């Protein structure tokens, strides 16, 4: 089955700096890669996703890149703000189109 | 739409008791998922339904766990008997269907504590 590895597990940045979270996946058939943000005590919420037919997607301060050959994808947050502090999860779909989640990255943005 | 609705938000019970978690998916969504979240194991898929039919329950940890979806608007996850290691946040999620175009929407979760 699909295996998704996520790094780093914690990330601390200064407000205004960029943050990058990386994920690798094992199933070469995976073609959908969403990212979820989970604030403390809240539900995971989809913030951006990318499909295998594109290499990059942007939405304001967040962007995702995908390298299908290397089987890795990344989340980039620019000009970080304190409200970006949360746990971020990457995910990839498997042959049954079920999502397998990475272990999560706790991002802390220091003001 | 109110989104995916779960109840209760918090449940505290004693070891050996039966626990029932409830979920109402978003109206019109055909797929429903139960996840468990812990610090050690992250987000784990327990079981999912498509059109009220259980498709894959390979993530259900033990026979003590069971899930039902009697109709398109309601699902339950039952633990009987409960054990302290079942303590976790249990999320229900729904999507329009199963496929690469189907975004997953999570409920607020049930924080379960088994003493």
């Amino acid at each position: 089955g699909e295996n998704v590895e996520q790094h780093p597990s914690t990330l601390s940045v200064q407000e205004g700096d960029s943050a990058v979270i990386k994920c690798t996946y094992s199933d070469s058939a995976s073609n959908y890669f969403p990212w979820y943000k989970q604030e403390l005590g809240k539900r995971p919420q989809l913030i951006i996703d990318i499909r295998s037919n594109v290499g990059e997607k942007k939405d304001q301060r967040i962007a995702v890149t995908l390298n299908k050959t290397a089987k890795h994808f990344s989340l980039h947050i620019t000009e970080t703000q304190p409200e970006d502090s949360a746990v971020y999860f990457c995910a990839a779909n498997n042959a049954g189109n079920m999502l397998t989640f990475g272990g999560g990255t706790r991002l802390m943005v220091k003001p | 739409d109110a989104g995916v609705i779960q109840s209760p938000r918090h449940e505290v019970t004693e070891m050996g008791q039966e626990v029932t978690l409830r979920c109402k998916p978003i109206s019109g969504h055909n797929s429903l998922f139960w996840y468990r979240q812990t610090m050690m194991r992250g987000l784990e898929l327990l079981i999912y339904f498509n059109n009220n039919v259980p498709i894959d329950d390979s993530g259900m940890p033990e026979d003590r766990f069971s899930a039902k979806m009697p109709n398109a608007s309601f699902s339950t996850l039952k633990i009987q008997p409960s054990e302290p290691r079942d303590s976790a946040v249990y999320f229900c999620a729904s999507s329009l269907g199963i496929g690469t175009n189907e975004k997953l929407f999570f409920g607020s979760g049930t924080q379960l504590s088994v003493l």
Side-chain angles (χ1 to χ4, degrees), chain A residues 36-80:
Chain A
Y36 285 80
K37 175 183 180 182
Q38 186 178 25
E39 297 177 359
L40 189 63
K42 302 285 183 64
R43 73 190 80 188
Q45 290 192 297
L46 178 71
I47 55 171
I48 194 168
D49 56 14
I50 190 168
R51 304 181 197 284
S52 59
N53 57 341
V54 297
E56 184 175 1
K57 182 177 179 180
K58 280 186 178 181
D59 183 2
Q60 299 181 0
R61 294 187 298 107
I62 60 174
V64 289
T65 57
L66 171 65
N67 183 327
K68 285 219 72 178
T69 304
K71 289 191 281 189
H72 65 71
F73 56 113
S74 302
L75 176 72
H76 304 251
I77 306 175
T78 58
E79 301 172 32
T80 53

Side-chain angles (χ1 to χ4, degrees), chain A residues 31 36 38 43 49 51 98, chain B residues 37 100 103-104 106-108:
Chain A
N31 57 11
Y36 285 80
Q38 186 178 25
R43 73 190 80 188
D49 56 14
R51 304 181 197 284
M98 292 300 99
Chain B
Q37 186 175 36
T100 56
K103 301 183 191 300
L104 203 59
F106 285 85
S108 297

Side-chain angles (χ1 to χ4, degrees), chain B residues 18-69:
Chain B
E18 176 182 302
V19 175
T20 299
L21 311 181
R22 298 173 177 79
C23 176
K24 181 182 188 307
I26 292 173
S27 177
H29 281 194
N30 295 318
S31 299
L32 183 140
F33 308 79
W34 282 101
Y35 284 88
R36 178 172 68 177
Q37 186 175 36
T38 61
M39 287 291 292
M40 291 296 295
R41 302 173 70 90
L43 269 168
E44 302 174 275
L45 177 63
L46 301 178
I47 185 172
Y48 74 92
F49 296 82
N50 194 45
N51 293 321
N52 312 339
V53 176
I55 304 299
D56 186 348
D57 65 354
S58 59
M60 296 285 261
E62 303 172 34
D63 291 345
R64 298 184 296 106
F65 286 69
S66 62
K68 293 182 180 179
M69 192 164 186

